Amino acid sequence: MRNIKLTIEYDGSRYQGWTRLGKNESNNTISNKILEVLKKMTGEEIEEFNCGCRTEAGVHAYAQVANFKMANNAKIQDVKHYLNRYLPMDIAITDVKEVPERFHAQLNAVSKTYVYRMTVSDVPSVFDRKHTYHCFRTPDKQLMQDAAWLLTGVHDFRNFSTVKKAKSTVREVYEIEIYGDGEEMQILISADDFLHNMARIMIATLLEIGLGMRQADEIDEIFDGELIASAPCDPKGLYLQEITY
């Protein structure tokens, strides 16, 4: 069996995330669209389709990573061309490689980086409205950056997520950087891994601090369970930017 690694770019606007299982199971997912084309191409049932980071409904990706195994002997370039020919136009395969048998897109990931894009100009752009969040007031970037330091490092992020079952909710956030000019602000978060909705809740909490709706010292109280974190931010501004191995 050949182990194939895909790098995938997608607009998540109309999908129910990378995959949707359980009581909210859906076939309208990024993974299902790719699996349908893979089955058509190979004539095989793909038993495992592993992704580097499961994105949620409405979230986009600049560089998702996935791997699967197949017996088909098609050339790598032909696999790439076939997928891009038959996938919807909002999903693109930017790279295809044959990798060692033991490579696993999720288990071998060292870090994952999300970026949140929001416009802060007076009038929302009609062209960017589907792919950026518009904030009608400009958040205080310095307040947000000061609060971000309290979220970095090793913490139990259970209270910054909507996770229901997990062996461990301890994660390490390596870096949070906030960039901005007069038109757009970006929040970049890198971590060893993310719990369900963790990135969106962290971003929403930082935004509320930047807008004066919360205080930075509330972060410690959220970790301790004394306060509830902010509701997850709008997913349309969130992009999986990079996964490192």
Side-chain angles (χ1 to χ4, degrees):
M1 297 290 282
R2 304 165 68 195
N3 194 8
I4 307 299
K5 174 188 173 188
L6 306 177
T7 303
I8 311 157
E9 181 178 87
Y10 52 83
D11 175 348
S13 301
R14 67 187 185 99
Y15 297 103
Q16 292 298 307
W18 173 260
T19 188
R20 178 73 64 169
L21 302 174
K23 66 177 182 179
N24 296 318
E25 185 173 357
S26 172
N27 290 326
N28 184 34
T29 62
I30 306 294
S31 62
N32 191 62
K33 297 299 180 184
I34 299 173
L35 283 169
E36 286 177 349
V37 179
L38 285 174
K39 183 178 180 180
K40 182 178 178 181
M41 181 190 75
T42 64
E44 305 170 24
E45 291 285 350
I46 306 300
E47 293 185 4
E48 287 189 23
F49 193 39
N50 310 302
C51 74
C53 191
R54 278 181 56 180
T55 54
E56 293 135 21
V59 176
H60 320 293
Y62 289 123
Q64 173 70 277
V65 176
N67 78 287
F68 67 96
K69 293 183 179 180
M70 69 176 187
N72 190 290
N73 62 0
K75 294 180 180 178
I76 290 299
Q77 198 65 16
D78 291 341
V79 173
K80 181 179 180 181
H81 288 161
Y82 191 97
L83 285 167
N84 284 317
R85 179 179 180 183
Y86 289 104
L87 281 169
M89 292 185 70
D90 48 11
I91 303 174
I93 308 301
T94 60
D95 190 47
V96 180
K97 289 182 179 177
E98 188 163 353
V99 290
E101 181 184 356
R102 295 180 64 85
F103 175 82
H104 190 290
Q106 179 184 6
L107 300 179
N108 293 144
V110 174
S111 70
K112 304 167 186 183
T113 301
Y114 277 103
V115 62
Y116 195 70
R117 297 181 54 198
M118 57 183 174
T119 54
V120 293
S121 54
D122 290 342
V123 180
S125 167
V126 296
F127 300 109
D128 294 336
R129 71 189 189 283
K130 292 183 179 180
H131 302 103
T132 57
Y133 170 71
H134 183 74
C135 194
F136 287 91
R137 288 192 292 142
T138 302
D140 187 313
K141 188 166 65 173
Q142 189 59 55
L143 283 177
M144 292 169 66
Q145 191 65 70
D146 291 344
W149 287 109
L150 300 174
L151 289 166
T152 57
V154 179
H155 301 280
D156 184 340
F157 283 92
R158 177 180 295 275
N159 296 328
F160 281 92
S161 76
T162 53
V163 67
K164 294 178 181 176
K165 293 181 180 179
K167 292 181 180 179
S168 173
T169 50
V170 174
R171 297 291 186 269
E172 182 174 3
V173 173
Y174 299 129
E175 178 184 35
I176 302 176
E177 293 291 339
I178 297 152
Y179 308 94
D181 54 29
E183 296 185 354
E184 184 172 319
M185 183 176 285
Q186 296 186 359
I187 303 172
L188 182 145
I189 304 177
S190 295
D192 59 351
D193 200 4
F194 290 88
L195 299 167
H196 189 253
N197 276 327
M198 175 176 153
R200 291 175 58 200
I201 290 174
M202 290 171 64
I203 290 164
T205 303
L206 289 173
L207 277 175
E208 290 194 353
I209 290 170
L211 292 169
M213 300 165 65
R214 305 191 79 131
Q215 301 298 314
D217 56 14
E218 292 183 28
I219 288 176
D220 286 335
E221 295 179 72
I222 296 170
F223 276 129
D224 293 338
E226 297 171 11
L227 289 176
I228 297 174
S230 304
C233 64
D234 192 324
K236 68 182 179 182
L238 188 61
Y239 296 74
L240 176 60
Q241 178 167 287
E242 182 183 22
I243 301 173
T244 58
Y245 292 91

